[in-house]
Amino acid sequence: MPLSWNEIRQNALSFSKEWETESSEDAEAQSFWNEFFKVFGVSRRRVASFEKPVKKLDGRDGFIDLLWKGVLVVEHKSRGRNLDRAYKQATDYFAGLKERDLPRYVLVSDFAHFRLYDLDENKTAEFPLKDLHKNVKHFAFIAGYQTQKITEQAEEVNVKAANRLGQLHDQLKDTGYTGHSLEVLLVRMLFCLFAEYTSIFEKNQFREYLEQRTSEDGSDLGMHLTQLFQVLNTALDKRQKTLDEQLADFPYVNGRLFEETLSVASFDKKMRETLLDACAVDWSQISPAIFGSLFQSIMDKQARRNLGAHYTREANILKALKPLFLDDLHEELEACGQKSAELIKFQNKLRNVRILDPACGCGNFLVISYRELRLLELEVLKRLHKKETNRLLDVKGLFFVDVDQFYGIEIEEFPAQIAQVALWLTDHQMNMKVSEEFGQYFARLPLKKSPHIVYGNALRINWEDVAKPAELTYIVGNPPFGGKQYQSKEQKAELIAVFDGVKNASDLDYVAAWYRKAADFISNNKMIHVAFVSTNSITQGEQVGVLWPDLAKRGVKIHFAHRTFQWSSEARGKAAVHCVIIGFSLSEIRQKSIYEYDKPTSEPHKIQAQQINAYLVDAVSVFLNKRREPITAQAPLIEFGSMPNDGGNLLLTPQEKDALLNQEPHARNWLRPIMGSEEFINGIERWCLWLAGLDPASLRGMPKVAERVERVKEQREQSTRGATSQLAKFPSLFGEIRQPKCQYLAIPKTSSESRVYIPMAFLQPTVIANTELFTISGATLYHFAILSSVMHMAWVRNVCGRLKSDYRYSAGIVYNNFPWPEETDKQHQKIEKAAQGVLDARTKYPQSTLADLYNPTTMPPDLVKAHDALDKAVDEAYGKTSFKNEAERVAFLFTLYQKITSPLALETKNSKPKKTTKKKAV
Ligand SMILES: C[S@@+](CC[C@H](N)C(=O)[O-])C[C@H]1O[C@@H](n2cnc3c(N)ncnc32)[C@H](O)[C@@H]1O
């Protein structure tokens, strides 16, 4: 157990006094260092040895004055000698050390001065002997007070640590030691490695035991580990008196971590070496929040190749935790000031926080929540006891926040185990922080309290069996996203069962089930607040109309929302996931907040909101459902393009077209350009055989074309879909034909989110639109104008579905629900004129594709101006001259939508909307 800092300072003063006159390296150096270690309550003999022989960089033999393997090299000189040289000499020895024995610290001294190099941090501390008592904290690593630095840069050591255990995992697995036993063994080894770096065990205790007591060929290592685990699971007074002394020195850990009896693993020389290598990582520096996920991914060789890309960044976790409860707690602490009664009340509140993560993985959300609560409690206690000298305090009785305040559900066993251990490791790291702060060693050993992590399926178990609603305060996590097409049969069934009769529940992402389960759970305690990270698709497109009316019926109110942002930017070669975070409860709160992102990768900015609807907009609550026809008479009908359903046989690249025409020039009459979003926006040339009206004799006269038709027939016949095989009867035709007969407005289905406007254009009926284009037959300049306006784009951006982050325009949700303006004739004319201005501006750049014209960087200034004028004219038609921002614009549209649709809702379901008004065709 480490000495208190006060004791260490006292010892340091005596030490400086005793050694102030010593000068000869040879005579007294070893006693000097023995005494030096004693200052920190550590026996030098236990951790380090003198005069370690080693081959130097130049190949000659040398002797390290003092070596603590993997931690410290000391080089000692006579008084007044050059310390730079001493440092050089110390580092020359590194060449002769095993990788795992390389030290993090180099300490040089001439009795009168100390100079300590921290090679990891690239820092140096230098001071005279007489000031040792003022500098003892530099030697926290000797005293056993080393605390984990809470930085995101901790990644390197975490990755290194996970890799070492990953190797061991592979080696054990290759020998046939697998499954549950392997997982438990690895989690236990993780604990032991961490323990010897953080004063749970004595320094080097685990490593020494392995090095000294197991044979080099590794054959008895498994047996020794088994025995050690038994010891760690046995209270001191229950241990056999004859127990080996070295084993008896290990503490009682409890917490049931070492309870289960595992089959004994067989190790070999290489595996023993790997474990010893793992001992060389500084385990005090691992971050349980990050390490858990890394550790989990070591199980999977594929995932390990990209280690570091698989964990959730702490900053992202805090995006959920801060608005859910941390921001409020920090504010409350500030309000307490230095008032003892308030601080004590606040500490009680901290103890009563209870958090459930119902898809906890390795427990990262719980770990960070716990760490933050402990930091708040530490601050409370610092304020409460700042006047008392630390000597009079008994730190043990002061701290109450503990791991039993955390609950988790996880479907995989290994991460569930890691989550449990990660919370204990965090507990210990925070205890070390307390020890450092109060100068008193504080540890909770044996472990008495346990986190409540349940290994099970959150959608099948009753959450009330995990945590009591009356006791719980928060639910948080990032449940599995699971898009509609990516769910397994079982997951789909679970989703449908959770939504119990809700129409179209099978269209929802898997994550939606956690919302419904949480809403049901908190109906038993309306004080519980919830926040989930989710795919943004539950707030867009079709899913809104399925999920949110159901939640609203249960009284769910959104309190805060992070709008779409990129969740994991690290994953190399992996598509980034676009997420939202939604905080909600069944009660109202005064201050609601929306976190906006200019781009999915940018930093959020917070705005206050009156109300937050399912689209995460500060606007009236509406849920858009798919409609077959537009809600306003001004909007003409929109259609999908035609679907070839031809296995590619009716489609041709320009080269294929030319080759065909070389052989069969008559085919020219039956070839048409065809476009989807890609071709339309990027000006890509594609052709199709459009054989409507072709007589059999002409087809016979074009054998190459006939061959293609034959292949369409075969392909359709082979289909298992009844409708497709029926189409085999008409092999010369597209499967579904919806080609307009007159000029039409084309709207691409998919368009990059980086564009301010989705580019639209008029096309002639000879250009075939495939299903990646929407078509509006006979559209006028006015229709083009409204749909190309910033008003419509604001609507699109907020209600459309997405493909990754690209806009997915839709007829049923986006177009048919859009509220058109009721313009005057004058406004109508002005809008048409402005629309013509946009088309005219485009024609000045005949070489440019729509992609070029609408790329925000390359968009020509006159086209920008033309759009500005158009936007202004359209705004006027809505009776507005300006909007503060897009949020206000969308709120306006939602209100208008509600005005238009509320009377409609009263009409009978089957009433038809009015027909399109005829306007001048272009
Ligand atoms: C997106 S991960 C989040 C885990 C962790 N918070 C993180 O950031 O790494 C979702 C977790 O939910 C777990 N999970 C998936 N389906 C589950 C279910 N039906 N019940 C409980 N947990 C589930 C997965 O194993 C995974 O650990």
Side-chain angles (χ1 to χ4, degrees), residues 165 168-170 172-173 176-192 229 257-258 260 262-263 265 267 291-292 295-300 362 410-421 455:
L165 277 186
L168 199 57
H169 162 268
D170 290 353
L172 281 160
K173 197 170 168 199
Y177 195 81
T178 55
H180 173 79
S181 301
L182 173 60
E183 292 173 2
V184 177
L185 179 67
L186 285 169
V187 172
R188 287 180 183 179
M189 288 203 274
L190 161 66
F191 184 88
C192 291
F229 295 159
L257 177 59
F258 295 98
E260 185 186 342
L262 298 181
S263 57
F267 287 74
F291 185 78
F295 192 36
Q296 185 187 4
S297 57
I298 64 174
M299 300 304 252
D300 173 356
C362 301
E410 170 55 48
I411 200 165
E412 303 262 352
E413 188 185 2
F414 189 44
Q417 283 178 14
I418 300 173
Q420 182 98 2
V421 173
Y455 158 41

Side-chain angles (χ1 to χ4, degrees), residues 734-806:
F734 270 37
E736 289 172 24
I737 298 180
R738 288 177 286 262
Q739 180 62 11
K741 303 221 168 355
C742 57
Q743 174 180 270
Y744 63 93
L745 181 65
I747 306 177
K749 199 169 185 180
T750 311
S751 174
S752 161
E753 57 146 5
S754 65
R755 296 189 187 108
V756 181
Y757 305 96
I758 295 182
M760 302 178 190
F762 290 101
L763 295 178
Q764 293 310 315
T766 44
V767 179
I768 308 299
N770 74 18
T771 47
E772 283 297 302
L773 278 189
F774 286 103
T775 66
I776 300 176
S777 288
T780 64
L781 265 179
Y782 177 76
H783 301 130
F784 166 75
I786 300 296
L787 297 174
S788 298
S789 70
V790 79
M791 198 64 129
H792 186 58
M793 278 311 300
W795 179 258
V796 174
R797 254 192 291 282
N798 285 278
V799 307
C800 77
R802 304 271 171 148
L803 189 69
K804 285 186 233 143
S805 58
D806 293 343

Side-chain angles (χ1 to χ4, degrees), residues 289 293 296 310-313 317 357-365 409-412 415 454 456-460 477-481 491 494 510 514 567:
S293 313
Q296 185 187 4
H310 291 277
Y311 66 87
T312 307
R313 287 244 170 245
I317 295 176
D357 180 345
C360 69
C362 301
N364 49 1
F365 280 67
I409 308 175
E410 170 55 48
I411 200 165
E412 303 262 352
V454 171
N457 185 331
L459 300 191
R460 289 182 185 267
N478 63 336
F481 300 153
Q491 288 177 325
E494 285 158 16
Y510 192 45
W514 271 259
W567 181 248

Side-chain angles (χ1 to χ4, degrees), residues 499 502-508 512 538 540-552 615 623-625 813:
F499 278 95
V502 172
K503 209 169 143 212
N504 298 329
S506 60
D507 288 343
L508 292 170
I538 64 161
Q540 297 166 345
E542 296 173 17
Q543 295 197 44
V544 172
V546 182
L547 171 64
W548 291 97
D550 180 61
L551 295 178
Y615 298 90
F623 311 110
L624 305 182
N625 282 307
I813 301 272

